[in-house]
Amino acid sequence: MAKIDARIPEGPVAQKWTNYKKNQKLVNPANKRKLDIIVVGTGLAGAAAAASFGEMGFNVKIFTIQDSPRRAHSIAAQGGINAAKNYPNDGDSVNRLFSDTVKGGDYRAREANVYRLAEVSTSIIDQCVAQGVPFAREYGGLLDNRSFGGAQVSRTFYARGQTGQQLLLGAYQALMRQVNLKTVKLYTRNELVDIVLVDGKARGIISRDLVTGETQRHFGHAVVMATGGYGNTFFLSTNAMGSNGSAAWQAYKKGAMFANPCFAQIHPTCIPVHGEFQSKLTLMSESLRNDGRIWVPAKKEDAEAIRAGKLKPTDIAEENRDYFLERRYPAFGNLVPRDVASRAAKERCDAGFGVGTTGLAVYLDFKESIERLGKDVIEARYGNLFQMYEKIVDDNPYDTPMMIYPAIHYTMGGVWVDYELQTTIPGLFCAGEANFSDHGANRLGASALMQGLADGYFVLPYTVQNYLADDIKTPRMTGDEKEFVETEKAVKDRFEKIRNVNGNRSVDSIHKELGLVMWDFVGMARNKEGLQQAIEKIRAIKKEFWSNVRIPGDKEGMNIELEKANRLADFIEIGELMAIDALNREESCGGHFREEFQTEDGEAMRQDDKFAYVSCWEYKGDGQEPELHKEELKFEDVKLIQRNYK
């Protein structure tokens, strides 16, 4: 049975990372050349880690399912990256970023990891500026900041509405420099399909070439997964359609714990669903809430007239508008955390005040900001986002309020890791969104980019080296060892099994069915009866998949439907574990809202005496119930109180 040991260093929280680095084991340059590290994923965490390992002198292999590392989903992040620089001199500090993040996560994150994240955040900005990332600047040339949800200070650095793209280009350049120096070998269109264990340690992976369909064996003294989240379990999400949780799921099936799977984030500012044939949702950056005001008609008859096409939003007088976030949360207004804003929008729509043809939308209005600042200022800040919105909706947001509605965006749950970002499998590390580490039950906006680069540039180079210091006498393996051969055979058998079902239903039709179950029962609002139904329905979908999915084409060569089917098989099982975890956690916290546990005014009600822990699930075999382990959370530096943004 796996053991939970977070391996948190001794000492005050502000000294833990310093103490760790002071006492870590090192590998000398000559020995680094004898050690191989596999990195899976080329987003911010993966690219930064691989570039760092290469610069340090290790031999690195990095894998991506894309045709270029630049296509990793980190590129889609829009609004910004947090750092406790306090450039606006508005009272920010490392300690405030730390406490805001713990509070924003509804006190379900590990203090030590969160403090380290806040501590290294300042170095991230220096690193990126040195790489030439074109952050926005004030007139005098200093780096500009804006505000994001869950904070009363401006600590978010940004590059218009393309921050993720610019940061990824910086990490990509650092990565490709090492590729050119031959310290890193890049494998594109290559997917991790299993992890190889030798004597209980991660010693390599089996990958599948997505162009030829061939499987390959790769050895590494250590393996780092930076493969993103599992939000596409819901079918419709803001994630790229290729984003998947399969690498993390294979780690889980090999013995890595899966932590807090039910913690999924609903982003409040997404373009609403517009039809049953839609396959993806589009994010509108949280940064828009700096200058946009969210409202619905105050009168139900006005909302009904808008839905019927008899009124336009510009016809609604100011006194007949309900700026419901400003009304309910005057201290934070439109910049409350994402889970709070999403539930508030859902409440208004459920009460009959929603707009759009479906009634599942609210307005995000820039009229006041345009009048106050001028259209040119708003265009300079958000021009590409406004352009994207107009292209999709065919409405000009400078003249007409945007319509938005919450959608699945990010997963705070993921592979369990200790303080060193190592899973319960020795030698297997996990970084970025793929792990559970820093955000508790709700991630604050602009913190995903911060975590990815913190893990890749400033944490893994220390912790992986500390692990490898004991491995310098371990010889390289050829890939012909029985563990590699047996794992590869199991992979081929799995793909053959999927191909041989030869049923009648497309992969997407089954995935869409799964997504509807997840959204209806494991989405923004959950309850015991609905979660029990969800588990039954998901198990029926799993049976349907393995008896009736149809995969056209051949197993050799490129077969996108086979790729998708393999990932869907994992999504189905991830969805089941999410529902099991949500059923077990009888409280409301962050993105996990159980209708049975709410305050009189509809806010999340935690049960700290029962659930102040990380849910760590251990795989016990196909068809078997997973086993729950608990990592108790101790709060010594942040007071455990009910969140209040009013």
Side-chain angles (χ1 to χ4, degrees):
M1 186 178 82
K3 285 186 177 182
I4 297 295
D5 179 7
R7 292 195 275 197
I8 299 170
E10 297 295 325
V13 70
Q15 297 299 317
K16 289 183 186 296
W17 184 231
T18 300
N19 291 343
Y20 179 90
K21 291 188 290 184
K22 184 171 67 176
N23 297 307
Q24 72 156 118
K25 291 175 279 189
L26 301 174
V27 180
N28 78 33
N31 285 330
K32 284 174 184 171
R33 293 192 291 271
K34 302 174 186 175
L35 296 171
D36 299 342
I37 302 174
I38 289 173
V39 179
V40 185
T42 60
L44 289 182
S52 299
F53 294 145
E55 189 75 43
M56 293 165 73
F58 293 105
N59 297 297
V60 185
K61 291 182 178 181
I62 188 165
F63 296 80
T64 176
I65 62 173
Q66 312 292 351
D67 55 3
S68 166
R70 290 175 298 173
R71 289 185 180 271
H73 192 57
S74 297
I75 203 169
Q78 298 170 349
I81 177 171
N82 289 330
K85 284 285 198 181
N86 195 32
Y87 284 170
N89 197 28
D90 55 0
D92 201 11
S93 64
V94 168
N95 201 62
R96 189 176 294 276
L97 175 53
F98 161 58
S99 59
D100 282 350
T101 304
V102 173
K103 178 184 176 183
D106 219 350
Y107 304 92
R108 291 295 176 262
R110 189 190 291 149
E111 272 194 346
N113 288 54
V114 178
Y115 192 92
R116 177 177 62 192
L117 176 66
E119 183 181 350
V120 305
S121 68
T122 57
S123 299
I124 296 170
I125 303 304
D126 297 338
Q127 169 86 358
C128 294
V129 169
Q131 290 175 335
V133 172
F135 286 122
R137 294 179 182 267
E138 296 173 337
Y139 180 75
L142 300 176
L143 294 179
D144 195 15
N145 288 109
R146 58 188 177 198
S147 299
F148 258 60
Q152 291 179 306
V153 298
S154 295
R155 63 163 68 102
T156 305
F157 296 79
Y158 65 97
R160 211 176 185 191
Q162 308 167 339
T163 315
Q165 181 185 43
Q166 299 304 325
L167 292 173
L168 185 60
L169 287 173
Y172 166 75
Q173 289 171 147
L175 171 65
M176 295 311 292
R177 176 174 178 271
Q178 297 303 318
V179 171
N180 188 57
L181 292 172
K182 297 188 172 14
T183 61
V184 176
K185 186 170 183 181
L186 172 64
Y187 294 83
T188 58
R189 301 292 286 138
N190 235 287
E191 182 170 23
L192 180 154
V193 285
D194 212 338
I195 295 160
V196 180
L197 304 186
V198 179
D199 298 329
K201 294 183 177 182
R203 290 300 190 196
I205 67 170
I206 304 299
S207 73
R208 181 172 180 269
D209 188 310
L210 299 179
V211 177
T212 66
E214 295 175 355
T215 55
Q216 302 166 355
R217 310 168 197 166
H218 298 277
F219 165 76
H221 290 89
V223 177
V224 176
M225 292 194 316
T227 50
Y230 48 93
N232 275 345
T233 303
F234 288 78
F235 187 68
L236 285 179
S237 81
T238 65
N239 291 179
M241 292 178 66
S243 298
N244 64 86
S246 288
W249 199 245
Q250 295 313 310
Y252 167 69
K253 286 190 163 185
K254 278 295 174 77
M257 297 276 191
F258 209 96
N260 297 335
C262 76
F263 289 168
Q265 179 164 86
I266 316 287
H267 198 296
T269 54
C270 301
I271 297 177
V273 176
H274 64 256
E276 61 178 289
F277 297 108
Q278 195 167 351
S279 56
K280 175 161 182 359
L281 297 175
T282 303
L283 171 72
M284 287 286 103
S285 170
E286 181 167 321
S287 62
L288 294 170
R289 290 198 271 150
N290 274 273
D291 293 306
R293 301 176 70 194
I294 296 175
W295 64 275
V296 292
K299 298 177 180 178
K300 196 171 285 187
E301 55 265 34
D302 286 345
E304 291 168 351
I306 287 174
R307 292 198 293 270
K310 297 176 182 177
L311 282 178
K312 296 179 179 178
T314 49
D315 296 330
I316 307 299
E318 188 69 22
E319 62 270 19
N320 293 326
R321 298 180 177 193
D322 176 17
Y323 295 93
F324 56 91
L325 290 179
E326 297 172 28
R327 169 173 56 81
R328 290 182 61 175
Y329 308 101
F332 281 74
N334 293 294
L335 287 171
V336 292
R338 292 172 176 178
D339 60 314
V340 177
S342 295
R343 282 195 294 274
K346 182 179 186 297
E347 184 276 327
R348 287 290 79 195
C349 291
D350 289 350
F353 293 91
V355 298
T357 56
T358 62
L360 296 177
V362 299
Y363 289 125
L364 179 60
D365 198 336
F366 293 86
K367 180 185 175 188
E368 186 269 339
S369 293
I370 290 172
E371 290 174 350
R372 175 169 50 89
L373 300 169
K375 181 181 175 182
D376 57 334
V377 173
I378 298 301
E379 188 172 6
R381 290 178 180 176
Y382 314 114
N384 66 305
L385 299 172
F386 278 46
Q387 188 179 41
M388 188 192 312
Y389 180 87
E390 185 171 7
K391 203 168 189 178
I392 293 170
V393 180
D394 196 22
D395 244 341
N396 184 348
Y398 293 103
D399 301 326
T400 305
M402 287 183 179
M403 284 194 298
I404 57 168
Y405 193 70
I408 289 289
H409 175 61
Y410 185 91
T411 48
M412 287 74 64
V415 178
W416 184 90
V417 291
D418 61 18
Y419 187 75
E420 298 182 290
L421 304 187
Q422 188 168 203
T423 71
T424 44
I425 298 174
L428 179 63
F429 294 78
C430 191
E433 187 181 354
N435 74 31
F436 90 102
S437 157
D438 296 334
H439 307 296
N442 174 66
R443 177 176 67 75
L444 291 183
S447 287
L449 303 183
M450 175 173 64
Q451 185 205 353
L453 291 178
D455 289 354
Y457 283 135
F458 299 106
V459 179
L460 288 171
Y462 295 95
T463 63
V464 173
Q465 181 176 200
N466 183 67
Y467 169 79
L468 289 175
D470 295 329
D471 240 10
I472 57 175
K473 293 183 180 179
T474 303
R476 289 190 174 99
M477 297 181 184
T478 63
D480 295 327
E481 293 79 6
K482 67 179 179 64
E483 292 87 352
F484 282 85
V485 174
E486 290 170 358
T487 305
E488 184 181 37
K489 182 180 184 302
V491 165
K492 290 181 176 179
D493 290 346
R494 172 184 167 94
F495 278 93
E496 193 66 30
K497 182 180 178 183
I498 295 173
R499 280 276 298 117
N500 289 340
V501 173
N502 201 25
N504 297 308
R505 292 189 60 181
S506 69
V507 175
D508 283 351
S509 73
I510 299 174
H511 196 171
K512 187 178 291 187
E513 183 182 350
L514 172 67
L516 288 171
V517 170
M518 294 299 297
W519 183 251
D520 290 344
F521 299 107
V522 201
M524 262 196 287
R526 305 160 175 179
N527 58 61
K528 183 177 181 179
E529 182 182 352
L531 290 166
Q532 289 171 335
Q533 283 187 54
I535 293 168
E536 290 178 14
K537 289 176 180 290
I538 292 168
R539 287 173 178 169
I541 290 170
K542 182 176 181 179
K543 188 175 180 181
E544 173 72 0
F545 173 87
W546 286 107
S547 63
N548 202 22
V549 72
R550 179 172 180 79
I551 311 298
D554 300 321
K555 64 179 179 180
E556 290 83 15
M558 182 181 288
N559 189 331
I560 293 173
E561 290 301 303
L562 186 57
E563 285 175 41
K564 286 159 56 178
N566 182 54
R567 295 167 190 167
L568 176 57
D570 295 331
F571 279 138
I572 293 169
E573 294 178 358
I574 292 170
E576 181 182 355
L577 187 62
M578 290 178 72
I580 290 170
D581 187 42
L583 184 62
N584 169 76
R585 190 171 282 276
E586 294 182 335
E587 65 166 353
S588 292
C589 57
H592 169 63
F593 190 76
R594 284 283 296 265
E595 293 174 332
E596 307 97 316
F597 303 96
Q598 54 183 304
T599 62
E600 290 182 2
D601 52 355
E603 302 295 339
M605 182 188 292
R606 298 196 316 270
Q607 302 260 56
D608 293 333
D609 56 330
K610 299 178 182 177
F611 293 98
Y613 63 75
V614 178
S615 302
C616 309
W617 296 93
E618 181 182 2
Y619 180 69
K620 304 303 286 186
D622 192 34
Q624 304 296 311
E625 291 292 321
E627 182 179 348
L628 174 64
H629 303 259
K630 300 175 183 179
E631 180 198 339
E632 301 295 335
L633 293 170
K634 298 175 183 177
F635 295 92
E636 299 169 354
D637 290 82
V638 176
K639 190 176 180 182
L640 194 60
I641 58 174
Q642 193 70 29
R643 285 193 308 173
N644 184 357
Y645 292 99
K646 297 182 178 181

